[in-house]
Amino acid sequence: MKIGLVDDRVIDLDKLQVIVSGVEGADIVFSTTSAEEAYEQIKKETVDLLICDIEMPHLSGYELADIIHSHALSIAVIFVTANSGYAVHAFELNVHDYIMKPYSKERLQQSVQRLMEKSKSAEMTGRLYLKQKNNIHIVQKKDIVFIERSGRSTTIYTRNEQIKTYLTLNELEGELRERDFIRSHRSFIINIHYVKNFSLYAKNSYVITFEGIGEQAMITKEKVDFLQEHYF
């Protein structure tokens, strides 16, 4: 599990590093005293878990978690703080845990291990189950290149096949919470890992070409700007 650490107090950050590094399978991707720097790292690095203080100068840990939540980024958050006043609001952001300082090594390590176990279970559900009359078609999410809504049906494009379903994009969007997928246009959901090129189509839209298939999708200028800021 790839983990980022943020605390504006160096002594507390050092404690986080020592404790988290003792968890088997934990890989500390970055460790910083600045929430702004953590935000830049999140845009560049794959991070599964962010462990952060809440009250920090400039950008707070709560604001950083709010960015993660509002952009539906697939990053879990553990708050480690001396202030209990944010607990209710924190859980509105669906944080994994809220740990009060001072805390024991065991308390934090158990929280990280619990998230690892939860993540392993989630990997088993990394697929879509599509009911088609009397059949259930199983699609690995990682194989989806993009999804298009046309009329009353939806087509799921993988590198090897096209699958028709009557599920709406809103329904599929609820199943595809992973960071890889974004709603690029009212008629399309795309997997950013397969994107090869954006070509200007009109003033406020682009055509997307993908690796491995000839079919194309659409994306709005607003979403292109979002991708450039948060992914590329």
Side-chain angles (χ1 to χ4, degrees):
M1 174 171 284
K2 296 184 180 299
I3 301 173
L5 308 176
V6 196
D7 198 308
D8 62 316
R9 296 186 66 215
V10 174
I11 188 170
D12 287 339
L13 187 63
D14 288 345
K15 179 180 178 180
L16 283 176
Q17 287 180 290
V18 170
I19 293 175
V20 174
S21 63
V23 178
E24 185 177 354
D27 176 16
I28 298 176
V29 177
F30 66 83
S31 177
T32 177
T33 57
S34 165
E36 292 93 335
E37 182 179 336
Y39 177 51
E40 293 303 317
Q41 290 290 336
I42 285 169
K43 291 194 289 185
K44 294 186 295 186
E45 303 273 0
T46 298
V47 179
D48 303 307
L49 168 63
L50 182 72
I51 305 176
C52 66
D53 191 11
I54 291 181
E55 294 187 320
M56 293 183 285
H58 309 302
L59 184 69
S60 72
Y62 180 83
E63 290 169 324
L64 184 56
D66 188 41
I67 291 171
I68 290 170
H69 180 73
S70 61
H71 289 157
L73 303 180
S74 186
I75 302 174
V77 175
I78 295 175
F79 282 137
V80 178
T81 178
N83 191 326
S84 62
Y86 293 91
V88 173
H89 296 299
F91 285 102
E92 289 175 355
L93 299 180
N94 199 32
V95 301
H96 172 66
D97 205 349
Y98 194 101
I99 299 176
M100 292 295 298
K101 297 178 181 178
Y103 56 90
S104 67
K105 175 181 77 172
E106 291 75 20
R107 173 70 176 86
L108 180 56
Q109 288 187 338
Q110 286 171 4
S111 184
V112 174
Q113 288 165 345
R114 195 166 65 248
L115 180 63
M116 286 179 168
E117 291 169 3
K118 181 180 176 182
S119 298
K120 286 179 182 177
S121 298
E123 287 175 7
M124 299 298 292
T125 60
R127 59 191 72 185
L128 288 178
Y129 294 84
L130 305 172
K131 291 183 179 179
Q132 298 174 315
K133 295 183 179 179
N134 297 324
N135 299 318
I136 297 177
H137 199 110
I138 301 172
V139 183
Q140 295 288 338
K141 292 180 182 180
K142 64 181 177 59
D143 294 334
I144 296 171
V145 178
F146 75 96
I147 303 171
E148 179 182 12
R149 181 72 174 179
S150 180
R152 297 181 60 189
S153 67
T154 301
T155 305
I156 298 173
Y157 293 86
T158 74
R159 297 185 71 165
N160 301 314
E161 61 181 336
Q162 299 176 18
I163 304 142
K164 296 283 186 180
T165 177
Y166 288 105
L167 291 175
T168 67
L169 288 192
N170 287 340
E171 289 171 322
L172 288 168
E173 198 173 13
E175 296 285 340
L176 299 170
R177 290 295 184 183
E178 291 81 358
R179 177 179 165 87
D180 305 349
F181 295 96
I182 71 160
R183 182 76 169 263
S184 64
H185 182 277
R186 69 177 184 275
S187 300
F188 294 93
I189 295 172
I190 65 169
N191 184 337
I192 63 166
H193 289 299
Y194 289 100
V195 171
K196 183 167 67 174
N197 184 56
F198 300 119
S199 299
L200 187 63
Y201 176 75
K203 182 179 179 181
N204 293 311
S205 61
Y206 292 77
V207 172
I208 309 171
T209 55
F210 299 94
E211 300 283 353
I213 66 173
E215 290 80 8
Q216 298 177 322
M218 299 293 296
I219 186 169
T220 64
K221 182 180 183 302
E222 179 185 10
K223 288 296 185 177
V224 170
D225 294 340
F226 175 81
L227 282 175
Q228 289 177 325
E229 181 178 358
H230 298 285
Y231 288 81
F232 302 135

